[in-house]
């Protein structure tokens, strides 16, 4: 009974964290759309169309706490396409998902807040913008490594970007889903970008 109670508590916590993440992204996008409507109606229409497509996919996927890594990357692509409408050529991105990892099971919405952080804290403040790279790979000890890196402004160890909303949520979700088996590592060089690595158990038994 104790184990079951802990499991139910963890599930409830994950659901709560997911509901916190969705409004965070939605309100940011609506605020950007409001500005675009006044200054560039054509881009605003494009952004609205992409937002509808993204939200439709999100609604379908968010009914489950977990989904395939392929779906996580698909949703990131939708989100990044949405952001390119706003930032134009200042935003470039690379999504690297090996074929043998597409079916790995991961918490839904796990990577999006990290990508949001890269845009908000790294690329938007940089005049020329930059590139976001998201990749998955097998790591040692049957672990999956998910990397989100950018070529933005970076930050020092005391900067708020390293402990902001997105990263705090990822820490909590990994702890709730994997206990001590999941971990987060983050590095940054001011002026040259930041990298966040997530480590979580693989859902198969193949060696890295």
């Amino acid at each position: 009974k104790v184990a079951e109670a802990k499991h139910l508590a963890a599930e409830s916590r994950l659901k709560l964290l997911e509901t916190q993440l969705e409004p965070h992204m939605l309100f940011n996008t609506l605020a950007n759309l409001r500005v675009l409507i006044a200054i560039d109606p054509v881009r605003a229409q494009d952004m609205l169309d992409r937002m509808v497509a993204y939200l439709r996919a999100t609604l379908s996927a968010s009914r489950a706490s977990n989904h395939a890594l392929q779906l996580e990357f698909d949703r990131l692509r939708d989100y990044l396409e949405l952001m390119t409408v706003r930032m134009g050529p200042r935003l470039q991105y690379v999504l690297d998902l090996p074929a043998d990892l597409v079916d790995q099971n991961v918490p839904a919405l796990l990577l999006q807040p990290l990508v949001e952080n890269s845009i908000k804290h790294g690329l938007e403040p940089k005049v020329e913008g930059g590139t976001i790279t998201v990749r998955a790979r097998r790591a040692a000890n049957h672990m999956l490594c998910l990397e989100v890196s950018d070529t933005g402004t970076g930050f020092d160890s005391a900067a708020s970007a390293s402990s902001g909303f997105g990263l705090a949520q990822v820490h909590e979700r990994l702890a709730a889903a994997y206990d001590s088996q999941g971990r987060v590592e983050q590095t940054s060089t001011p002026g040259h970008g930041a990298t966040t690595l997530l480590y979580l158990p693989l859902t198969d038994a193949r060696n890295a």
Side-chain angles (χ1 to χ4, degrees):
K1 290 183 178 180
V2 172
E4 183 179 358
K6 288 182 178 180
H7 176 74
L8 291 175
E11 287 292 321
S12 297
R13 191 180 187 194
L14 286 173
K15 287 296 184 184
L16 175 60
L17 291 173
E18 286 169 9
T19 60
Q20 290 175 322
L21 286 170
E22 287 292 358
H24 176 65
M25 176 269 179
L26 180 59
F27 293 148
N28 284 346
T29 303
L30 289 174
N32 294 325
L33 182 60
R34 186 176 186 275
V35 174
L36 269 183
I37 288 173
I39 63 176
D40 194 337
V42 174
R43 287 179 65 201
Q45 180 64 54
D46 189 15
M47 190 175 189
L48 180 60
D49 290 343
R50 292 186 183 279
M51 185 176 72
V52 169
Y54 173 81
L55 291 177
R56 183 180 293 114
T58 297
L59 180 61
S60 175
S62 63
R63 293 191 175 101
S65 294
N66 300 278
H67 62 189
L69 191 55
Q70 178 67 68
L71 294 178
E72 183 79 358
F73 270 65
D74 288 345
R75 295 173 69 196
L76 283 179
R77 185 182 302 279
D78 290 336
Y79 173 74
L80 286 165
E81 283 295 317
L82 183 63
M83 292 300 100
T84 58
V85 176
R86 187 185 75 203
M87 295 183 63
R90 294 180 61 236
L91 173 61
Q92 305 293 320
Y93 68 87
V94 176
L95 298 177
D96 180 11
L97 176 59
D100 65 327
L101 294 176
V102 296
D103 294 325
Q104 291 294 314
N105 201 37
V106 297
L109 295 172
L110 184 64
L111 296 176
Q112 182 181 303
L114 299 179
V115 173
E116 287 187 52
N117 270 1
S118 287
I119 292 175
K120 180 178 180 181
H121 298 291
L123 301 188
E124 282 189 328
K126 197 169 185 177
V127 174
E128 66 273 30
T131 301
I132 295 174
T133 300
V134 183
R135 57 169 49 97
R137 61 180 173 84
R138 292 176 180 272
N141 300 318
H142 307 302
M143 298 293 284
L144 171 66
C145 178
L146 302 175
E147 175 186 335
V148 178
S149 61
D150 65 72
T151 60
T153 58
F155 54 85
D156 59 36
S157 59
S160 60
S162 64
S163 58
F165 176 87
L167 190 62
Q169 293 288 11
V170 169
H171 272 289
E172 289 192 44
R173 296 196 67 202
L174 285 181
Y178 303 107
D179 196 17
S180 60
Q181 295 185 75
R183 72 181 191 273
V184 182
E185 297 177 1
Q186 189 173 54
T187 58
S188 178
T189 302
H192 296 281
T195 297
T196 303
L197 301 176
L198 307 184
Y199 291 92
L200 51 150
L202 285 163
T203 56
D204 64 22
R206 285 178 287 177
N207 292 324

